[in-house]
Amino acid sequence: MCGIVGYLGPRDASPVLLEGLRRLEYRGYDSAGISVITEEGDLRTVKKPGKISVLEEALNGNRPMGNCGIAHTRWATHGGPTEVNAHPHFSADGDIAVVHNGIIENADELREDLQELGYEFRSETDTEVIIHLIDEAFKGNQALENAVAAALLQVEGAYGIAVISTRDPGKIVAARNGSPLLLGIGKDGEYLVGSDAAALVTRTRDVVYLDDGDVAVLNGEGHWTFHLERGAVDRPIHRVTWDLGAIEKEGFEHFMLKEIFEQPSSLRDVLRGRLLADEGVSKLGGITISDLELLRIKRIIITACGTSWHSALLGEYMIEELARVPVEVEYASEFRYKSPLVDETTLVIAISQSGETADTLAALREAKRRGAPTMGIVNAVGSTIARETDFGVYLHAGPEIGVASTKAFTSQVVALALFGLYLGRRRGLSLEAGHRIVRALSALPNQVERILEKDGDIRALAEKYVDCRNFLYLGRGYQFPVALEGALKLKEVSYIHAEGYPAAEMKHGPIALIDDDMPVVALAPTDPIYAKVLSNIEEVRARQGRVIAVVTEGNTDIAEKVDHVISVPVSLPLTQAVLTTIPLQLLAYHMAVLRGCDVDQPRNLAKSVTVE
């Protein structure tokens, strides 16, 4: 949520900052702004509500010139998307500027203290307390980093910040606590700060990930880092390896459509080198826990938010089936507040595309505090969850720019299947069963390609239902989490109300809503409970409901019972869930486009939720 970029070097800062903001707009697009220390030694700030294009128009022919600056694109938390609430925020005399991601939990208390000292507040934001705390701490010729550290020691909550000042020019000070921030180490004295590597990769691929409590200083002489409590620290330089094309549309109308069509490739990447066909098992290099320790696990808790929570539900079904270990799925936002019962025999798995989701990170830390071994399933290499879990699995799906997750979700599901197979083969799963699962997983990329060939048919289907205001998605077994995910995708990008339900539960309430104005998407692959789902479809038809059925290829009987059929290749029940997900993603996408919605940047949503 929100995007930060900073630049210090020999070039004019403004074009670099604007390019970085464009790369980060998926993280927040309510307002945007930049602050630059000009060649004349002044601090000039320009900010506007709306998207980056509005800021660019305001800067056209009126761009501040200088080689040190910071910029921000905002997802509103405290205060609406107005010019005064937009970042950067600056001090009363206009010589310090700050950009901030996160939430300051003791902002009200600090605001009262600062008002007693004579400070006036112009905005509704919690960020403004930071700039006044720095101003108050910045006395005489004190270095900017010392003032920032003194201010942050009074702050409670989450933050990623970047600060510049004409009182100590030619320097950027950055700090993080619970909100991701990294440094970019370029050539010829170029340094950058960003909340995401996407903002930096056009300038450099060498990055330094900051840890909680770190304060970093960038100036013409180099960069160094210290911890607020432990003093000087040395953070390693990492290399960003993904291709720049991953953050470009490459001919697709939207990132969401590009990422849907990237799924054959992303599935191959999550599987690559991880299946041992002859042995019927998976090989996961990131699982550093010993087999003996793994066998001591008596219970697994998977914690996640949003789309990742839906993949966790599928993981529950998979792991219980394959490894016969009891699994519970917890909303990360609730986990830390319920006094969870975990110990050294409970494995806690945290799932997050970004690896920075605030609630999931908090749940992970609570589990660690209680002595549980922890595992991460994340996409972003070097992310906080990846660093703080005991072991884990990377998705290797590449950057996902569309706010509504698509390829990361299916990669998460496959990663969970790989772990279920890994654990299952160590706990009694037969070689024959292992061979079946390996074959099913290996077939997924090509099967997804076949489904994507139906894109035109699904668009035509969307045209028939584009004016509907409500949808119901039904599934049983492995298809129930898919129903939840399909409904979420439709809500996220098209703003159509949709609910996912276990098909058998429809008669316990939602059936009252069924009529010809409420389409029902029924997930009905041919599996052991197909007959039960067919009965639920009959219940919908008896009430004049319209049914879109997602079935497996070869099912010719259902056509006369439903209004529309989408067929997908045959697979095992646990891998079938990946295949039935794809048409639901396409349906949501085309419904949104036909309704004129901003598919990649849906209203009120942000890609990486780094506040509670």
Side-chain angles (χ1 to χ4, degrees):
M1 303 173 81
C2 306
I4 287 173
V5 59
Y7 176 81
L8 173 68
R11 300 174 183 273
D12 183 16
S14 292
V16 179
L17 295 173
L18 284 170
E19 180 185 36
L21 286 182
R22 285 192 291 270
R23 305 284 187 190
L24 293 179
E25 192 166 20
Y26 69 99
R27 294 179 64 99
Y29 32 89
D30 291 338
S31 58
I34 69 170
S35 287
V36 173
I37 297 177
T38 68
E39 296 168 345
E40 294 75 28
D42 301 321
L43 181 63
R44 184 164 167 229
T45 298
V46 180
K47 51 186 184 176
K48 292 291 180 182
K51 297 191 176 184
I52 307 298
S53 58
V54 179
L55 175 65
E56 289 179 304
E57 185 176 342
L59 290 169
N60 188 24
N62 190 34
R63 197 178 71 209
M65 303 290 289
N67 60 11
C68 178
I70 55 177
H72 190 268
T73 181
R74 181 173 183 248
W75 187 87
T77 53
H78 290 64
T82 64
E83 183 169 332
V84 71
N85 288 333
H87 297 219
H89 289 279
F90 45 88
S91 57
D93 56 10
D95 58 8
I96 311 170
V98 64
V99 289
H100 165 228
N101 293 348
I103 290 179
I104 306 306
E105 294 174 357
N106 61 337
D108 290 343
E109 175 187 338
L110 292 171
R111 186 180 287 108
E112 290 179 6
D113 294 342
L114 288 163
Q115 285 172 333
E116 289 181 5
L117 293 172
Y119 286 94
E120 296 182 3
F121 286 80
R122 296 180 288 261
S123 75
E124 303 168 81
T125 71
D126 54 339
T127 302
E128 204 173 352
V129 303
I130 299 176
I131 196 70
H132 293 323
L133 287 172
I134 296 172
D135 187 36
E136 179 65 17
F138 210 153
K139 303 296 184 183
N141 294 318
Q142 187 182 37
L144 178 59
E145 60 268 25
N146 294 338
V148 170
L152 294 179
L153 287 171
Q154 302 174 64
V155 165
E156 298 173 6
Y159 57 78
I161 64 169
V163 189
I164 57 175
S165 175
T166 57
R167 302 184 202 175
D168 194 359
K171 179 185 289 184
I172 300 176
V173 177
R176 77 153 278 175
N177 186 61
S179 189
L181 207 63
L182 62 156
L183 314 178
I185 313 303
K187 298 178 180 179
D188 302 322
E190 271 196 336
Y191 295 96
L192 299 101
V193 177
S195 51
D196 189 311
L200 314 181
V201 290
T202 58
R203 310 298 322 162
T204 181
R205 290 182 175 272
D206 293 327
V207 301
V208 175
Y209 296 99
L210 299 184
D211 284 351
D212 284 352
D214 283 355
V215 179
V217 184
L218 309 173
N219 65 14
E221 299 176 2
H223 75 281
W224 64 95
T225 305
F226 64 92
H227 191 275
L228 286 173
E229 297 177 355
R230 299 194 298 271
V233 291
D234 184 19
R235 302 300 182 203
I237 296 177
H238 297 266
R239 186 77 176 168
V240 176
T241 57
W242 42 262
D243 185 73
L244 187 62
I247 56 175
E248 302 288 353
K249 291 181 183 175
E250 296 185 321
F252 286 90
E253 185 178 358
H254 299 98
F255 279 111
M256 183 179 178
L257 186 61
K258 172 178 178 270
E259 288 155 5
I260 290 172
F261 272 80
E262 283 177 339
Q263 286 174 110
S265 175
S266 61
L267 292 175
R268 291 187 181 101
D269 288 340
V270 73
L271 289 168
R272 183 172 289 113
R274 288 173 167 173
L275 290 176
L276 303 179
D278 292 343
E279 299 172 41
V281 72
S282 58
K283 180 180 71 173
L284 297 172
I287 307 297
T288 55
I289 188 173
S290 70
D291 285 356
L292 181 61
E293 291 173 299
L294 205 55
L295 290 172
R296 290 190 185 128
I297 298 299
K298 296 180 179 178
R299 176 168 158 260
I300 295 173
I301 294 176
I302 311 178
T303 185
C305 302
T307 285
S308 296
W309 189 80
H310 297 155
S311 71
L313 287 177
L314 285 165
E316 175 186 3
Y317 292 6
M318 292 172 177
I319 294 169
E320 289 190 343
E321 177 185 340
L322 301 178
R324 309 307 298 162
V325 179
V327 181
E328 300 171 34
V329 175
E330 298 272 6
Y331 282 111
S333 56
E334 295 295 324
F335 179 82
R336 68 184 295 209
Y337 298 111
K338 60 177 291 188
S339 188
L341 298 174
V342 299
D343 57 23
E344 66 278 1
T345 68
T346 306
L347 174 64
V348 175
I349 302 176
I351 307 179
S352 166
Q353 187 281 138
S354 68
E356 303 289 353
T357 309
D359 287 318
T360 308
L361 185 55
L364 166 68
R365 288 170 173 166
E366 179 64 17
K368 290 174 70 71
R369 189 181 71 81
R370 292 173 180 264
T374 57
M375 172 180 167
I377 296 179
V378 301
N379 192 34
V381 175
S383 58
T384 304
I385 290 176
R387 298 199 307 271
E388 293 196 11
T389 44
D390 298 319
F391 56 92
V393 177
Y394 278 124
L395 302 181
H396 301 304
E400 188 177 63
I401 305 302
V403 168
S405 180
T406 51
K407 66 176 181 175
F409 172 74
T410 51
S411 293
Q412 287 169 350
V413 174
V414 170
L416 285 160
L418 289 168
F419 179 68
L421 178 60
Y422 181 93
L423 186 59
R425 290 288 283 123
R426 286 159 174 78
R427 299 180 71 102
L429 184 71
S430 71
L431 177 61
E432 181 184 1
H435 283 157
R436 286 198 303 271
I437 295 163
V438 167
R439 287 195 298 269
L441 287 169
S442 300
L444 282 176
N446 289 340
Q447 290 178 320
V448 169
E449 285 179 341
R450 286 164 53 192
I451 299 170
L452 293 173
E453 292 172 359
K454 302 176 186 291
D455 179 53
D457 295 337
I458 295 172
R459 188 186 190 284
L461 181 62
E463 290 173 348
K464 297 179 185 296
Y465 290 93
V466 69
D467 293 325
C468 294
R469 298 173 61 89
N470 299 282
F471 270 72
L472 186 63
Y473 286 67
L474 300 178
R476 299 186 77 150
Y478 281 104
Q479 298 303 318
F480 165 51
V482 177
L484 292 174
E485 175 61 12
L488 177 62
K489 282 294 152 288
L490 191 67
K491 283 184 281 194
E492 284 180 316
V493 298
S494 74
Y495 317 142
I496 295 171
H497 175 256
E499 294 297 333
Y501 250 83
E505 291 297 305
M506 177 187 64
K507 64 179 69 71
H508 298 287
I511 198 168
L513 301 172
I514 300 295
D515 59 22
D516 60 2
D517 290 328
M518 186 175 186
V520 175
V521 178
L523 297 158
T526 304
D527 59 21
I529 51 176
Y530 168 72
K532 302 292 185 183
V533 178
L534 202 57
S535 296
N536 301 135
I537 290 173
E538 293 284 12
E539 293 165 355
V540 173
R541 279 170 46 85
R543 289 153 182 85
Q544 289 73 54
R546 290 185 288 171
V547 180
I548 301 168
V550 181
V551 304
T552 40
E553 292 172 347
N555 184 339
T556 57
D557 299 330
I558 201 171
E560 62 185 26
K561 302 178 184 296
V562 302
D563 296 273
H564 303 281
V565 174
I566 304 171
S567 61
V568 300
V570 177
S571 189
L572 297 177
L574 67 86
T575 45
Q576 193 79 62
V578 173
L579 302 178
T580 52
T581 294
I582 307 301
L584 304 190
Q585 294 174 346
L586 288 169
L587 180 64
Y589 169 79
H590 287 300
M591 293 282 280
V593 171
L594 290 167
R595 290 167 60 88
C597 301
D598 191 337
V599 177
D600 287 335
Q601 298 172 355
R603 67 187 183 206
N604 303 332
L605 297 181
K607 183 63 177 174
S608 179
V609 183
T610 56
V611 297
E612 290 192 58

